[in-house]
Amino acid sequence: MIQLQSVIKDWGDKRVLSNIDLIIYPGEKIGIIGSNGQGKSTLVNIISKQIALDSGTVVIDENLAVLEQSSDINFSKILENLSNNEFSNQFFIWLKLLGFNNEIELDATKISKLSSGEKTKIGLANCFAQNPTALVLDEPTNHLDISAKNLIIKQINNFQGAVIIVSHDRDFLNKTVNKIIELKDGKIKEYYGNYDEYKLQKENEKLTIKRNYEKHKKKVAHIEEDMEQYKKFAKLVDAGKHQKSAMRAGVKHDNGLRADVVSTKFSRIAASQMKKLQKELDKDVERPEKEINIKYKLQKNSINTKVAIKVENLTKKFQNQILFENANFVIESGQKVALLGDNGTGKSTFIKMILEQTDYDGFIYKTPSLKIATMFQDVYDLNGEITINQMSQLYDKEFRTNFITNIVSMNIDKSRFNTKIKFLSSGEKMRLKLAELILTDANLIILDEPTNHLDIENKQYLEEVLSGYAGTLIVVSHDLDFIKNVSNCCLVLNNKKLVKYDELVDKLYK
């Protein structure tokens, strides 16, 4: 069992976690969700005792194994542990189970040359080889292809202990967890079920909050209206005028009833109503969350020809190995294409072929009016030495205004506008590049893993934007929900073939 009691954690003057109480029982599979910057990684780092508390206690009665994000994995420690034969045997068994196909003898130099997906598999194998009774996994599916993701889903579902997962992958959460912990404004809220069940509960909860708040507002308004009427009648009677008004208000009146007596009665009624109003105002009625009005700006550029790209007899070899051969297909103007395939099958290579950055056999025709914009997952083409404000000054007034609108819509705080880009988080850099990209005059946008480092809310915003984009789109992604919500056709790399389908992707690649 893992237990947190009254946990408080501050970063500078910001309270990230505020009096967190949480019990995690053996066998529970928990998904921790929340917007970027809400403290998810802080929470799991506290659970794994990698950072100190400011206040509270953490009790862990488990053999805990922790997977950090791929860039933070301690590979030196893993290599050191490989000297233990028992650990080493288990490690390589798990590595194979997780679909690691690189049969190299691991050392620091070779690990540094591996892909992010391969590094994540090494980190996962390290976790399972420790024979843990509980797992903490921070963004385990980043950089993993769909096949590898499915292997991890299988291992998590077979694991008997507790699993704590930080993830923005809705499909992955749906297939692995039985409880969702939502982290917001330093507080946690627990929901039973997977992500889709959480969403349903959340919508019902919002509806209930809204109804209760509207009911409360109406009651307050009714009491205030009654009070005003009683005050008005009391004032009239006190002045000795319109005594019939008092009768209409429900106060008994006869010829012997003096105006001051009537006035006193009205005052008592008004005071009673005041107490009633104050009691209603003192109620702790939760306000509905303010609806965020997303106002993305984007160019609506399309190609005036039907065909954007045509491929004939396309073949690509790499070091005498065939990646794919004899591919023939057409990408029509306006199509949203998902480029799917396991890591190493040639997705990035195909993009380089379109961009004329590598040679190939066969033919790729691109319409002369094609203007291409790209974004790769490491966002290497941003100038890290300038701030967001300085970046915006590089454009004309209209572009700059729309650029800032997009950034704000993507929840990049204005306090970050004077921070050098190199000091922004990976998620902030990704959003910054996307905000710029959708304003270009490109009529073909190529995105390589655009959802890495984006929280669920921003993924949904991005889906909205790309759905409204009039140009052609090619997206490399392993996020099934994102693919389904954005693409209307797909290119699948499998068994040394590159084939285009005009069917729903979930029927083709699970």
Side-chain angles (χ1 to χ4, degrees):
M1 187 173 73
I2 299 169
Q3 186 170 10
L4 281 69
Q5 293 181 314
S6 304
V7 167
I8 293 175
K9 181 63 183 176
D10 296 332
W11 289 118
D13 60 355
K14 181 181 180 182
R15 177 144 295 180
V16 181
L17 301 176
S18 179
N19 289 313
I20 300 295
D21 292 311
L22 177 64
I23 298 177
I24 299 170
Y25 295 98
E28 283 192 311
K29 305 292 193 296
I30 292 174
I32 299 178
I33 66 169
S35 300
N36 293 134
Q38 289 292 334
K40 300 183 298 298
S41 291
T42 299
L43 180 60
V44 297
N45 284 335
I46 284 173
I47 291 172
S48 58
K49 296 193 172 180
Q50 296 185 54
I51 58 174
L53 304 177
D54 290 325
S55 180
T57 59
V58 177
V59 179
I60 300 176
D61 188 23
E62 302 282 356
N63 175 22
L64 196 65
V66 181
L67 174 74
E68 299 91 351
Q69 294 189 31
S70 61
S71 59
D72 299 323
I73 296 172
N74 188 341
F75 294 106
S76 298
K77 181 67 174 175
I78 295 173
L79 291 172
E80 183 182 318
N81 291 340
L82 287 177
S83 60
N84 180 315
N85 288 334
E86 184 179 349
F87 174 87
S88 180
N89 290 336
Q90 287 294 312
F91 174 82
F92 284 106
I93 288 171
W94 278 107
L95 207 55
K96 189 173 182 179
L97 283 172
L98 292 167
F100 189 91
N101 297 318
N102 199 327
E103 296 180 358
I104 63 172
E105 186 175 335
L106 294 178
D107 61 38
T109 302
K110 289 171 182 174
I111 285 177
S112 67
K113 295 178 181 178
L114 296 176
S115 69
S116 297
E118 288 172 318
K119 289 177 181 177
T120 298
K121 291 176 185 178
I122 290 174
L124 283 162
N126 172 61
C127 287
F128 285 113
Q130 296 175 42
N131 294 316
T133 58
L135 290 169
V136 175
L137 310 176
D138 192 357
E139 294 288 0
T141 62
N142 269 4
H143 311 293
L144 292 185
D145 57 46
I146 296 173
S147 295
K149 193 189 297 184
N150 287 337
L151 286 169
I152 295 173
I153 289 169
K154 182 179 178 181
Q155 298 306 331
I156 289 173
N157 289 333
N158 289 336
F159 184 70
Q160 297 301 305
V163 183
I164 303 161
I165 302 168
V166 175
S167 180
H168 300 305
D169 189 322
R170 293 158 287 181
D171 178 73
F172 182 72
L173 291 171
N174 276 330
K175 293 174 179 175
T176 54
V177 306
N178 51 33
K179 183 189 281 189
I180 293 288
I181 292 177
E182 180 189 65
L183 187 55
K184 185 176 181 181
D185 298 329
K187 303 287 187 180
I188 63 169
K189 211 165 189 180
E190 299 181 43
Y191 299 83
Y192 287 92
N194 62 17
Y195 182 78
D196 281 348
E197 290 165 329
Y198 151 78
K199 285 294 289 181
L200 183 61
Q201 292 173 66
K202 192 72 178 173
E203 288 305 313
N204 289 335
E205 184 182 276
K206 285 181 179 179
L207 187 60
T208 299
I209 290 170
K210 186 177 180 181
R211 285 173 176 168
N212 288 341
Y213 185 70
E214 291 299 326
K215 185 178 178 181
H216 168 72
K217 282 206 311 181
K218 286 181 180 178
K219 194 168 183 180
V220 168
H222 181 70
I223 296 170
E224 288 177 335
E225 186 180 341
D226 283 351
M227 283 182 60
E228 286 301 314
Q229 289 298 320
Y230 284 120
K231 287 178 182 177
K232 179 181 177 181
F233 288 132
K235 187 176 180 180
L236 292 173
V237 172
D238 192 44
K241 298 176 181 179
H242 307 297
Q243 293 186 7
K244 289 183 180 180
S245 298
M247 295 177 64
R248 287 198 298 271
V251 178
K252 187 176 179 181
H253 177 270
D254 57 45
N255 293 331
L257 193 62
R258 299 193 314 272
D260 58 341
V261 175
V262 176
S263 177
T264 301
K265 285 192 175 186
F266 273 119
S267 296
R268 285 201 302 267
I269 294 171
S272 173
Q273 289 295 101
M274 178 62 79
K275 287 181 182 178
K276 189 176 178 182
L277 175 62
Q278 194 59 51
K279 186 177 178 181
E280 194 66 30
L281 291 174
D282 288 341
K283 285 183 179 179
D284 187 16
V285 179
E286 188 174 354
R287 288 175 174 267
E289 289 183 13
K290 188 177 179 181
E291 294 293 329
I292 301 173
N293 185 18
I294 302 302
K295 295 181 179 179
Y296 281 119
K297 301 290 183 180
L298 70 160
Q299 297 289 356
K300 297 187 177 295
N301 298 304
S302 58
I303 304 168
N304 294 325
T305 58
K306 185 176 181 181
V307 175
I309 295 174
K310 183 177 182 180
V311 167
E312 292 182 351
N313 300 320
L314 191 64
T315 298
K316 178 61 182 177
K317 296 178 182 178
F318 184 73
Q319 295 180 348
N320 297 322
Q321 296 290 321
I322 295 174
L323 285 179
F324 52 86
E325 58 184 344
N326 298 325
N328 293 276
F329 56 84
V330 170
I331 297 176
E332 296 179 7
S333 174
Q335 283 192 314
K336 309 292 192 296
V337 184
L339 180 55
L340 305 174
D342 290 345
N343 291 335
T345 54
K347 300 186 299 297
S348 296
T349 301
F350 176 64
I351 289 174
K352 288 179 180 178
M353 293 160 70
I354 293 175
L355 299 175
E356 300 178 6
Q357 294 176 357
T358 187
D359 58 357
Y360 52 86
D361 296 319
F363 180 71
I364 299 179
Y365 167 80
K366 293 180 288 186
T367 183
S369 60
L370 203 63
K371 293 181 181 178
I372 302 175
T374 60
M375 189 194 74
F376 297 96
Q377 56 185 289
D378 49 10
V379 204
Y380 62 83
D381 56 345
L382 287 174
N383 183 352
E385 297 301 323
I386 63 174
T387 66
I388 293 176
N389 276 332
Q390 289 169 333
M391 182 179 173
S392 70
Q393 296 299 319
L394 300 175
Y395 306 113
D396 62 42
K397 184 177 179 181
E398 182 181 359
F399 191 105
R400 184 164 61 247
T401 300
N402 293 336
F403 177 63
I404 296 297
T405 298
N406 287 347
I407 293 170
V408 173
S409 291
M410 288 180 175
N411 288 332
I412 295 181
D413 196 276
K414 290 183 178 179
S415 65
R416 306 287 278 168
F417 280 23
N418 288 314
T419 302
K420 282 190 176 182
I421 290 171
K422 66 181 179 182
F423 295 124
L424 299 178
S425 69
S426 297
E428 287 170 324
K429 289 177 184 175
M430 189 74 76
R431 283 176 277 166
L432 188 61
K433 181 62 181 178
L434 286 166
E436 176 190 46
L437 194 67
I438 60 179
L439 285 171
T440 66
D441 62 353
N443 45 34
L444 169 61
I445 292 179
I446 299 175
L447 302 175
D448 184 13
E449 294 290 358
T451 62
N452 277 359
H453 311 295
L454 291 186
D455 58 40
I456 293 173
E457 191 174 44
N458 271 298
K459 282 185 187 182
Q460 292 170 332
Y461 295 161
L462 180 59
E463 290 166 2
E464 230 179 273
V465 173
L466 295 179
S467 296
Y469 176 61
T472 309
L473 188 69
I474 298 177
V475 181
V476 178
S477 179
H478 303 303
D479 187 319
L480 287 177
D481 282 295
F482 180 77
I483 290 168
K484 293 172 189 176
N485 292 330
V486 167
S487 61
N488 52 28
C489 61
C490 61
L491 282 165
V492 177
L493 275 157
N494 192 29
N495 295 325
K496 298 181 180 180
K497 298 291 183 184
L498 177 58
V499 182
K500 183 168 181 283
Y501 296 89
D502 292 319
E503 304 173 46
L504 293 175
V505 292
D506 59 340
K507 294 180 179 179
L508 296 167
Y509 206 84
K510 291 187 178 182

